[in-house]
Amino acid sequence: DEEDTFKILVATDIHLGYLEKDPVRGNDTFVTFDEILRHAQQKEVDFILLGGDLFHENKPSRKTLHTCVELLRKYCMGDHPVQFEILSDQSVNFGFSKFPWVNYQDGNLNISIPVFSIHGNHDDPTGADALCALDILSSAGLLNHFGRSSSVEKIDISPILLHKGSTKIALYGLGSIPDERLYRMFVNKQVTMLRPKEDEDNWFNLFVIHQN
């Protein structure tokens, strides 16, 4: 039944800004992102799930960032009600943000299609403040950046718990980490998938990861 079914659009490696100065292919990535978001709007999906590398460069150009903001505002903001709830502790799910809650529950925003995204190896957090372009979109309320980990020794992945009707999804995310480091943590059993405390066996588990 519609009230029990999650409709999710999954996209990854859009690489906004790739060859943006090329006279022939310069707008290809922007056209692609426009098609993805338009498709999500027309199909009335519950949310969009991005698997990393939304941007091609770690520091996207002003044109790339501006176009991305324009498209997210055009297709993902509006009065269409969001039909699912988040049951998990959002201060844990979005703890790196100054606004640690999902954007569609922000009283100052009208979000019709929530976007959840991890970062990839092209748009990963860098610098002293460990920021990336996704954090700009997150602070603007256009996107929900999750799956970040600051530890180089141990990772605890706490899922975003989504509930719609009788359906429950535990959404796990892990943004890009240098392959050798993540491999070492898996070998040493330092990567832990935390489980929901209630009705543990009644959740669909979905894991988003971006590695080479």
Side-chain angles (χ1 to χ4, degrees), residues 8 19 35-36 56 67 85 111 146 154 156 168 197:
I8 308 167
L19 293 180
E35 289 180 359
I36 289 169
H56 184 65
T67 305
E85 300 176 83
I111 303 296
F146 75 110
K154 189 177 190 303
D156 291 325
K168 298 178 179 180
K197 293 180 180 179

Side-chain angles (χ1 to χ4, degrees), residues 46-101:
D46 288 297
F47 65 90
I48 297 169
L49 184 59
L50 301 180
D53 284 353
L54 174 60
F55 296 98
H56 184 65
E57 300 288 346
N58 187 269
K59 297 178 180 178
S61 70
R62 277 177 290 188
K63 174 186 175 182
T64 295
L65 199 55
H66 180 260
T67 305
C68 180
V69 169
E70 274 188 332
L71 292 173
L72 287 172
R73 178 171 176 172
K74 176 181 178 181
Y75 288 108
C76 297
M77 299 188 81
D79 294 326
H80 189 276
V82 175
Q83 302 289 348
F84 65 91
E85 300 176 83
I86 294 185
L87 304 181
S88 51
D89 185 347
Q90 297 184 44
S91 66
V92 174
N93 300 142
F94 310 111
F96 285 89
S97 173
K98 290 290 196 300
F99 307 95
W101 52 82

Side-chain angles (χ1 to χ4, degrees), residues 144-155:
N144 303 291
H145 182 200
F146 75 110
R148 289 188 54 162
S149 174
S150 59
S151 174
V152 298
E153 297 178 355
K154 189 177 190 303
I155 299 175

Side-chain angles (χ1 to χ4, degrees), residues 34 39 43 49 57 67 69 72-73 81 90 93 103 108 112 116 134 142 161 163 167 200 203 208:
D34 186 284
H39 195 62
K43 297 295 184 181
L49 184 59
E57 300 288 346
T67 305
V69 169
L72 287 172
R73 178 171 176 172
Q90 297 184 44
N93 300 142
N103 62 347
N108 297 312
S112 57
F116 295 90
L134 294 183
L142 296 170
L161 302 181
H163 176 248
T167 303
E200 182 176 330
W203 297 83
V208 193

Side-chain angles (χ1 to χ4, degrees), residues 109-167:
L109 300 170
N110 260 16
I111 303 296
S112 57
I113 306 177
V115 180
F116 295 90
S117 180
I118 64 170
H119 62 264
N121 56 307
H122 278 251
D123 52 11
D124 60 324
T126 57
D129 296 319
L131 293 172
C132 65
L134 294 183
D135 293 314
I136 296 175
L137 300 178
S138 176
S139 293
L142 296 170
L143 175 148
N144 303 291
H145 182 200
F146 75 110
R148 289 188 54 162
S149 174
S150 59
S151 174
V152 298
E153 297 178 355
K154 189 177 190 303
I155 299 175
D156 291 325
I157 305 177
S158 185
I160 303 173
L161 302 181
L162 311 173
H163 176 248
K164 182 182 179 183
S166 61
T167 303

